[in-house]
Amino acid sequence: DAKTTQPPSMDCAEGRAANLPCNHSTISGNEYVYWYRQIHSQGPQYIIHGLKNNETNEMASLIITEDRKSSTLILPHATLRDTAVYYCIVRVGGSNYKLTFGKGTLLTVNP
Amino acid sequence: GAGVSQSPRYKVAKRGQDVALRCDPISGHVSLFWYQQALGQGPEFLTYFQNEAQLDKSGLPSDRFFAERPEGSVSTLKIQRTQQEDSAVYLCASSPGTGRSDEQFFGPGTRLTVL
Protein backbone atom coordinates (compact mmCIF):
# COMPACT_ATOMS: atom_id res chain seq x y z
CA ASP A 1 0.00 0.00 0.00
CA ALA A 2 1.14 3.54 -0.77
CA LYS A 3 2.56 5.60 2.06
CA THR A 4 0.68 8.67 3.27
CA THR A 5 1.90 11.92 4.83
CA GLN A 6 -0.23 13.97 7.20
CA PRO A 7 0.53 16.96 9.44
CA PRO A 8 0.91 15.83 13.06
CA SER A 9 -1.62 18.31 14.43
CA MET A 10 -4.18 20.94 13.45
CA ASP A 11 -6.55 23.27 15.25
CA CYS A 12 -10.02 24.37 14.25
CA ALA A 13 -12.62 26.66 15.78
CA GLU A 14 -15.94 25.12 16.69
CA GLY A 15 -18.52 25.63 13.95
CA ARG A 16 -15.92 26.22 11.25
CA ALA A 17 -14.89 23.80 8.54
CA ALA A 18 -11.93 21.55 9.30
CA ASN A 19 -9.80 20.69 6.27
CA LEU A 20 -7.39 17.83 6.85
CA PRO A 21 -4.79 17.25 4.13
CA CYS A 22 -3.12 14.00 3.12
CA ASN A 23 -0.35 13.41 0.59
CA HIS A 24 -0.14 10.04 -1.16
CA SER A 25 2.10 10.78 -4.11
CA THR A 26 2.92 7.10 -4.80
CA ILE A 27 -0.70 5.98 -4.98
CA SER A 28 -1.49 3.37 -7.63
CA GLY A 29 -4.47 3.36 -9.94
CA ASN A 30 -6.30 0.65 -8.02
CA GLU A 31 -5.74 2.10 -4.55
CA TYR A 32 -8.52 3.77 -2.62
CA VAL A 33 -8.15 6.58 -0.08
CA TYR A 34 -9.76 5.80 3.29
CA TRP A 35 -10.21 8.01 6.31
CA TYR A 36 -10.70 6.77 9.86
CA ARG A 37 -10.67 8.71 13.09
CA GLN A 38 -9.92 7.73 16.67
CA ILE A 39 -11.42 9.61 19.55
CA HIS A 40 -9.47 9.34 22.80
CA SER A 41 -9.80 5.92 24.48
CA GLN A 42 -11.95 4.54 21.66
CA GLY A 43 -11.28 2.32 18.68
CA PRO A 44 -10.90 3.83 15.20
CA GLN A 45 -14.10 4.75 13.37
CA TYR A 46 -14.60 4.66 9.60
CA ILE A 47 -15.42 8.04 8.04
CA ILE A 48 -15.34 7.85 4.26
CA HIS A 49 -13.43 6.45 1.30
CA GLY A 50 -13.02 7.18 -2.42
CA LEU A 51 -11.12 6.23 -5.54
CA LYS A 52 -11.01 9.26 -7.84
CA ASN A 53 -14.29 11.10 -7.52
CA ASN A 54 -15.15 13.38 -4.64
CA GLU A 55 -17.34 11.72 -2.04
CA THR A 56 -19.74 13.02 0.59
CA ASN A 57 -21.64 11.34 3.38
CA GLU A 58 -23.32 12.43 6.58
CA MET A 59 -20.01 12.78 8.38
CA ALA A 60 -17.65 14.42 5.91
CA SER A 61 -16.57 15.16 2.36
CA LEU A 62 -13.52 13.76 0.62
CA ILE A 63 -11.83 15.77 -2.10
CA ILE A 64 -9.25 13.91 -4.20
CA THR A 65 -7.05 15.87 -6.61
CA GLU A 66 -7.20 15.00 -10.27
CA ASP A 67 -3.74 13.40 -10.22
CA ARG A 68 -4.81 11.53 -7.05
CA LYS A 69 -1.57 12.41 -5.29
CA SER A 70 -3.31 14.18 -2.46
CA SER A 71 -6.68 14.48 -0.80
CA THR A 72 -8.51 16.56 1.78
CA LEU A 73 -11.04 15.45 4.34
CA ILE A 74 -13.55 18.17 5.12
CA LEU A 75 -15.66 18.31 8.26
CA PRO A 76 -18.06 21.10 7.30
CA HIS A 77 -19.07 22.29 10.78
CA ALA A 78 -16.62 20.98 13.35
CA THR A 79 -17.84 20.34 16.88
CA LEU A 80 -15.92 19.65 20.08
CA ARG A 81 -16.77 15.96 19.63
CA ASP A 82 -14.78 15.93 16.40
CA THR A 83 -11.53 16.29 18.38
CA ALA A 84 -9.68 13.11 17.45
CA VAL A 85 -6.73 11.63 15.56
CA TYR A 86 -7.59 11.37 11.87
CA TYR A 87 -5.90 8.69 9.79
CA CYS A 88 -5.56 8.78 6.01
CA ILE A 89 -5.01 5.26 4.63
CA VAL A 90 -4.36 4.17 1.07
CA ARG A 91 -5.54 0.67 0.37
CA VAL A 92 -5.88 -1.56 -2.66
CA GLY A 93 -9.54 -2.17 -3.34
CA GLY A 94 -10.81 -5.70 -3.65
CA SER A 95 -7.63 -7.50 -2.78
CA ASN A 96 -6.24 -6.15 0.45
CA TYR A 97 -7.91 -6.37 3.79
CA LYS A 98 -5.67 -5.08 6.52
CA LEU A 99 -5.48 -1.38 7.30
CA THR A 100 -2.03 0.22 7.49
CA PHE A 101 -2.23 3.22 9.80
CA GLY A 102 0.34 5.99 10.05
CA LYS A 103 0.50 8.43 12.94
CA GLY A 104 -2.40 10.53 11.69
CA THR A 105 -3.35 14.14 12.42
CA LEU A 106 -4.53 15.20 15.86
CA LEU A 107 -7.38 17.62 15.20
CA THR A 108 -8.28 19.78 18.16
CA VAL A 109 -11.56 21.66 17.90
CA ASN A 110 -11.54 24.70 20.16
CA PRO A 111 -14.63 26.43 21.62
CA GLY B 1 -27.34 -3.05 17.34
CA ALA B 2 -24.40 -4.06 19.48
CA GLY B 3 -20.96 -3.19 18.25
CA VAL B 4 -17.67 -4.98 18.75
CA SER B 5 -16.96 -5.61 22.40
CA GLN B 6 -13.69 -6.48 24.07
CA SER B 7 -12.85 -7.72 27.53
CA PRO B 8 -11.27 -6.92 29.80
CA ARG B 9 -10.97 -3.22 29.05
CA TYR B 10 -7.87 -2.99 31.22
CA LYS B 11 -5.38 -5.66 32.19
CA VAL B 12 -2.32 -5.38 34.37
CA ALA B 13 0.09 -8.30 34.26
CA LYS B 14 3.38 -9.02 35.87
CA ARG B 15 6.22 -9.79 33.51
CA GLY B 16 6.18 -13.46 32.66
CA GLN B 17 2.45 -13.97 33.16
CA ASP B 18 0.15 -15.26 30.44
CA VAL B 19 -2.85 -13.16 29.41
CA ALA B 20 -5.96 -13.78 27.30
CA LEU B 21 -7.87 -11.00 25.61
CA ARG B 22 -11.37 -11.58 24.30
CA CYS B 23 -13.16 -10.09 21.29
CA ASP B 24 -16.87 -10.41 20.54
CA PRO B 25 -17.39 -9.24 16.95
CA ILE B 26 -20.62 -7.98 15.48
CA SER B 27 -22.94 -10.95 14.98
CA GLY B 28 -22.62 -12.46 11.52
CA HIS B 29 -19.41 -10.70 10.61
CA VAL B 30 -17.15 -12.96 8.61
CA SER B 31 -13.84 -11.17 9.08
CA LEU B 32 -12.05 -10.44 12.32
CA PHE B 33 -8.83 -8.52 12.83
CA TRP B 34 -6.49 -7.87 15.72
CA TYR B 35 -4.33 -4.75 15.88
CA GLN B 36 -1.77 -3.54 18.41
CA GLN B 37 -1.48 0.15 19.23
CA ALA B 38 1.54 1.45 21.13
CA LEU B 39 1.31 4.78 22.91
CA GLY B 40 1.32 7.67 20.45
CA GLN B 41 1.30 5.42 17.40
CA GLY B 42 -1.32 4.25 14.95
CA PRO B 43 -2.68 0.71 15.20
CA GLU B 44 -0.57 -2.03 13.66
CA PHE B 45 -2.01 -5.18 12.12
CA LEU B 46 -1.45 -8.44 13.97
CA THR B 47 -3.67 -11.12 12.44
CA TYR B 48 -6.76 -11.79 10.36
CA PHE B 49 -9.50 -14.43 10.47
CA GLN B 50 -12.08 -15.29 7.88
CA ASN B 51 -14.66 -17.26 9.85
CA GLU B 52 -12.58 -19.76 11.86
CA ALA B 53 -9.63 -19.76 9.47
CA GLN B 54 -6.61 -17.68 10.38
CA LEU B 55 -5.55 -16.47 6.95
CA ASP B 56 -2.83 -14.05 7.94
CA LYS B 57 -0.73 -13.94 11.08
CA SER B 58 2.17 -12.04 9.60
CA GLY B 59 1.88 -9.19 12.10
CA LEU B 60 2.24 -11.28 15.25
CA PRO B 61 5.49 -10.02 16.79
CA SER B 62 6.68 -13.32 18.24
CA ASP B 63 5.68 -16.90 18.88
CA ARG B 64 4.48 -15.78 22.30
CA PHE B 65 1.43 -14.34 20.57
CA PHE B 66 -1.36 -16.70 19.59
CA ALA B 67 -4.88 -16.00 18.33
CA GLU B 68 -7.84 -18.27 17.76
CA ARG B 69 -11.44 -18.10 16.61
CA PRO B 70 -12.59 -21.70 16.90
CA GLU B 71 -16.27 -21.30 16.02
CA GLY B 72 -15.96 -18.36 13.70
CA SER B 73 -17.35 -15.81 16.13
CA VAL B 74 -15.61 -14.95 19.41
CA SER B 75 -11.83 -14.61 19.20
CA THR B 76 -9.13 -14.75 21.83
CA LEU B 77 -5.66 -13.25 21.62
CA LYS B 78 -3.26 -14.94 24.00
CA ILE B 79 0.12 -13.62 24.99
CA GLN B 80 2.44 -15.98 26.81
CA ARG B 81 5.25 -14.91 29.15
CA THR B 82 4.39 -11.24 28.79
CA GLN B 83 7.19 -8.70 28.45
CA GLN B 84 7.17 -4.96 29.11
CA GLU B 85 7.28 -4.25 25.39
CA ASP B 86 3.91 -5.99 25.06
CA SER B 87 2.29 -3.06 26.89
CA ALA B 88 -0.15 -1.54 24.39
CA VAL B 89 -3.80 -1.26 23.48
CA TYR B 90 -5.04 -4.34 21.64
CA LEU B 91 -7.84 -3.55 19.21
CA CYS B 92 -10.24 -5.98 17.61
CA ALA B 93 -12.20 -5.17 14.47
CA SER B 94 -14.76 -7.04 12.41
CA SER B 95 -16.24 -6.60 8.97
CA PRO B 96 -19.25 -8.20 7.33
CA GLY B 97 -17.59 -9.66 4.24
CA THR B 98 -14.23 -11.05 3.41
CA GLY B 99 -12.58 -7.86 4.52
CA ARG B 100 -11.68 -6.80 1.05
CA SER B 101 -12.47 -3.07 0.98
CA ASP B 102 -15.10 -3.51 3.69
CA GLU B 103 -15.46 -0.96 6.43
CA GLN B 104 -13.93 -2.33 9.63
CA PHE B 105 -15.80 -1.83 12.90
CA PHE B 106 -13.49 -1.50 15.87
CA GLY B 107 -13.99 -2.35 19.50
CA PRO B 108 -12.85 -0.06 22.32
CA GLY B 109 -9.66 -2.04 22.86
CA THR B 110 -7.97 -3.71 25.82
CA ARG B 111 -5.20 -1.71 27.46
CA LEU B 112 -2.50 -4.12 28.60
CA THR B 113 0.12 -2.93 31.05
CA VAL B 114 2.98 -5.27 31.84
CA LEU B 115 4.89 -4.41 34.99
Side-chain angles (χ1 to χ4, degrees), chain B residues 59-115:
Chain B
L60 296 177
S62 77
D63 57 8
R64 297 185 295 104
F65 286 71
F66 172 76
E68 60 183 5
R69 193 187 185 198
E71 297 179 357
S73 55
V74 172
S75 177
T76 304
L77 177 66
K78 298 179 179 178
I79 309 174
Q80 297 177 324
R81 305 181 302 281
T82 52
Q83 305 293 317
Q84 285 188 324
E85 60 264 28
D86 300 335
S87 295
V89 174
Y90 290 86
L91 294 160
C92 176
S94 70
S95 65
T98 58
R100 300 171 188 274
S101 305
D102 289 343
E103 172 185 351
Q104 293 184 19
F105 297 83
F106 283 81
T110 294
R111 179 177 297 278
L112 172 65
T113 302
V114 181
L115 303 177

Side-chain angles (χ1 to χ4, degrees), chain A residues 34 36 38 91 93-94 97 99, chain B residues 35 37 56 99 101 104 106-107:
Chain A
Y34 282 74
Y36 278 73
Q38 187 172 24
R91 183 188 188 202
Y97 42 78
L99 297 171
Chain B
Y35 293 84
Q37 185 171 24
D56 188 344
S101 305
Q104 293 184 19
F106 283 81

Side-chain angles (χ1 to χ4, degrees), chain A residues 30-84:
Chain A
N30 61 347
E31 289 181 311
Y32 287 71
V33 180
Y34 282 74
W35 285 84
Y36 278 73
R37 74 178 182 183
Q38 187 172 24
I39 295 170
H40 185 62
S41 295
Q42 297 183 22
Q45 175 192 22
Y46 167 84
I47 302 173
I48 198 168
H49 76 280
L51 181 63
K52 59 176 78 173
N53 298 321
N54 298 336
E55 302 288 344
T56 295
N57 64 20
E58 65 279 4
M59 289 183 68
S61 294
L62 174 61
I63 308 297
I64 302 174
T65 58
E66 191 169 345
D67 63 7
R68 302 209 322 122
K69 295 188 176 187
S70 65
S71 60
T72 301
L73 179 74
I74 301 172
L75 307 179
H77 306 286
T79 70
L80 299 180
R81 289 174 295 180
D82 292 322
T83 292

